Amino acid sequence: MDKQRYLEELAKYLAPLSAEERQDAIDFYSEMIDDAGLVTWDAMVMKLGKPESLAHKIVGDQEGSKETSSQPTRRHLNAGTLALILLVIVITFPIWMILLGIAFGIVVAIIGAAFGVIMGIISTIMVGIILGITNIYIGILMATTNPAVSLFYIGIAIIALAIAMFLLPLIWFGFKLLIHWMVELIQWITKKLHRGGH
């Protein structure tokens, strides 16, 4: 009588399970009670716990096994696949090295060309400043002896200095542009490598 009451109460708390799962659990614990020779309510509670706590354990185990079975299994590479991948890497290694060398050469060439343009602008500015200062000096020296030639030299100095001042912002713009190109190039290479890795 205690066994029937225990199993009925257990079934009541197993309501979240399907009818088949509930019946399987009742059959299992009914057999366990018989095998262990548990006759009284207290003996059953001592061995299995109260029906409510046993039911919580059973429901939790069932939900845990469902979650585990629903999760995708992780594929592991077998030795043959791994060997094939390594073989492809070894065979194609010279090709990848050549392509990486070409890409590196192109990057260096682009950076070198941009740096060359910036250095050319800097040189032009320096020449303009030196030419301007020199012509001002010559113009001042000739002011008393030949005012017309003096004005000519001072005019050339002003033009040279104006060109130098005009080119100064180009250096700043050039450096900013060079840094921008380098950042974009690095981001592009990183994206390609990241995409190639997946």
Side-chain angles (χ1 to χ4, degrees), residues 108-175:
V108 169
I110 290 170
I111 292 171
F115 189 71
V117 168
I118 291 170
M119 290 309 291
I121 293 170
I122 290 172
S123 300
T124 305
I125 290 170
M126 295 301 291
V127 167
I129 290 171
I130 292 169
L131 187 62
I133 292 170
T134 307
N135 281 334
I136 286 174
Y137 179 71
I138 293 170
I140 290 171
L141 286 178
M142 296 186 78
T144 54
T145 57
N146 197 343
V149 174
S150 171
L151 286 175
F152 173 75
Y153 277 108
I154 290 174
I156 290 176
I158 291 171
I159 291 171
L161 288 172
I163 290 172
M165 293 303 117
F166 173 76
L167 291 176
L168 269 176
L170 285 179
I171 291 178
W172 175 245
F173 176 75
F175 273 121

